Amino acid sequence: MISRVRRSLPIQLYSGRPAAPLAFLLLSLAAAPAAADSAHQWLGRMAEAMSRLDYRGILIYRHGATLDTLEVAHRHDENGLRERIATLSGTEREIIRRDGEIRCLYPDDRSLVLEGRLSESLFPAVDEHSWESLAKWYRFTLGGVERVAGHEARVIGIEPRDEFRFGYRLWLDEASAMLLRSRLIDPAGQVFEEMTFATIDIGAAIGDDELAASQPLERFVKFKAADDSRNTLPLVRVLTSGSPLPPGFVLLNHTRTAGQGAGGALEHLLFGDGLATVSVYLETLDESDSGVPPSARRGALNIHSRRDGQRLVTVLGEVPFMTLEAFGRRFDNAAQTLTSQRQ
């Protein structure tokens, strides 16, 4: 049995990168006071740079034994953020950000997934206490200067304070504070995942043609996730009962996709601690489906599944397995609870 969640994993590895995994952190830092020559100050500059700079480049993405090459074009204008990410190696895939939506194109089966207004719902404005909250779970250190993609880059270390999260290492352009390289690191110092620009043109003039899909969208079969944020009472009931969530993680977003063909409804809940994110998918299976997909790892992305009758709970994120297992225990009966409360 292969669930819809696991079939879509390859696009999930790219759709939030390079900015989205850090976006909640950036919003936190943008409102925080900065001390001279501190890691905090550099990350605040990064928040500003990534919210206003246009750029194009070639991004190398290493996860586990897999190495992918991506072409990135990124622009901010009066209409907001626009971006195109396309694979240059392996299976052809394409991500288009426009008008607050993410369009994920799978040319091999002519499908197009519309992910909704993620720029508005995933990363809401945070208050002045966000930095203090983030510092409860991570330590930040300022390192030296190294060279990345032809640019001098300042190194920032981010170390977790407990076993529920991984650490990070960031390289920021000395001149602009643009993020040039990032690594995800386990407690033993092993690099699970690395993203680095091989080439980057910061401040480039990005034309509309660089941001457009390579093929007409009319050729694709469209699937759209419905924003269910206005119906949160069932979630409140689920989240305030049962086993506790790992400390520091809060609900950021909730969407629900109606069943397509043989597939049932799919709930998606996104949680974050200010830096790491965990996705919980509650999926109604077809009666012919049997078994539970085994836990797995795709580079730094860990995947854990639990089954309750014809409902499958899949938890995934760039966090340790013990974190996913804690979420799984909380949502053992969540799919049944949410479904019954909607009826």
Side-chain angles (χ1 to χ4, degrees):
M1 180 190 69
I2 302 177
S3 72
R4 282 189 291 157
V5 175
R6 297 202 178 210
R7 282 198 298 267
S8 68
L9 283 178
I11 205 72
Q12 294 181 43
L13 293 174
Y14 308 133
S15 62
R17 293 171 169 81
L22 296 171
F24 199 74
L25 167 67
L26 301 184
L27 287 164
S28 302
L29 295 169
D37 298 325
S38 68
H40 186 179
Q41 182 188 38
W42 273 95
L43 291 170
R45 288 184 59 204
M46 181 179 73
E48 181 180 358
M50 296 184 71
S51 68
R52 64 177 177 82
L53 291 178
D54 299 339
Y55 58 88
R56 71 167 65 88
I58 301 299
L59 185 69
I60 307 300
Y61 175 39
R62 178 171 66 87
H63 48 106
T66 303
L67 190 68
D68 292 324
T69 306
L70 310 173
E71 181 181 53
V72 181
H74 181 101
R75 185 179 81 190
H76 290 271
D77 57 29
E78 63 277 4
N79 297 316
L81 169 64
R82 294 188 60 183
E83 184 176 61
R84 177 178 179 268
I85 304 174
T87 57
L88 299 180
S89 60
T91 303
E92 184 180 3
R93 298 185 181 93
E94 197 168 338
I95 299 98
I96 306 294
R97 295 177 188 262
R98 183 176 182 179
D99 301 328
E101 283 190 329
I102 296 181
R103 297 167 169 85
C104 304
L105 282 69
Y106 302 74
D108 53 349
D109 62 3
R110 295 295 183 184
S111 62
L112 166 62
V113 179
L114 304 180
E115 293 290 349
R117 295 188 169 274
L118 298 183
S119 61
E120 296 177 3
S121 59
L122 291 191
F123 312 116
V126 293
D127 61 31
E128 60 186 2
H129 302 294
S130 295
W131 172 256
E132 287 76 9
S133 176
L134 192 63
K136 292 179 182 178
W137 316 118
Y138 298 94
R139 298 182 183 90
F140 296 83
T141 58
L142 182 67
V145 176
E146 299 179 8
R147 192 165 174 81
V148 179
H151 297 255
E152 296 296 308
R154 177 67 60 174
V155 182
I156 306 295
I158 304 177
E159 179 185 356
R161 294 182 182 271
D162 62 24
E163 68 275 20
F164 288 106
R165 37 215 119 222
F166 290 139
Y168 298 80
R169 195 167 178 84
L170 311 177
W171 284 256
L172 311 183
D173 177 43
E174 277 271 283
S176 67
M178 174 70 194
L179 179 62
L180 301 178
R181 174 186 292 168
S182 69
R183 285 178 178 168
L184 189 65
I185 304 170
D186 74 359
Q190 178 183 357
V191 178
F192 276 143
E193 175 186 86
E194 179 173 357
M195 292 170 285
T196 183
F197 277 102
T199 65
I200 185 169
D201 184 1
I202 301 173
I206 306 298
D208 290 345
D209 58 329
E210 296 182 71
L211 301 168
S214 61
Q215 302 181 41
L217 298 185
E218 293 76 14
R219 297 179 180 177
F220 292 80
V221 178
K222 296 180 181 180
F223 301 90
K224 184 175 178 62
D227 184 0
D228 212 24
S229 59
R230 291 173 294 179
N231 186 14
T232 58
L233 182 58
L235 288 175
V236 172
R237 291 173 180 166
V238 170
L239 296 175
T240 54
S241 62
S243 303
L245 293 175
F249 285 89
V250 298
L251 180 66
L252 302 179
N253 192 56
H254 170 219
T255 60
R256 185 173 190 268
T257 304
Q260 299 283 349
L266 180 68
E267 303 265 358
H268 176 208
L269 296 88
L270 181 70
F271 295 84
D273 66 356
L275 182 54
T277 58
V278 173
S279 284
V280 179
Y281 291 91
L282 310 177
E283 182 176 0
T284 303
L285 301 176
D286 185 81
E287 291 184 359
S288 62
D289 289 325
S290 62
V292 179
S295 295
R297 171 178 292 166
R298 300 283 184 89
L301 184 70
N302 286 325
I303 311 158
H304 175 66
S305 296
R306 302 169 75 97
R307 182 163 183 164
D308 175 23
Q310 289 305 118
R311 296 168 182 85
L312 183 69
V313 179
T314 301
V315 189
L316 58 91
E318 292 181 340
V319 293
F321 268 115
M322 65 176 298
T323 307
L324 303 186
E325 290 170 344
F327 274 94
R329 288 191 296 271
R330 165 56 72 91
F331 285 91
D332 261 341
N333 299 310
Q336 174 68 51
T337 302
L338 287 170
T339 300
S340 63
Q341 289 177 346
R342 291 182 186 281
Q343 294 174 348

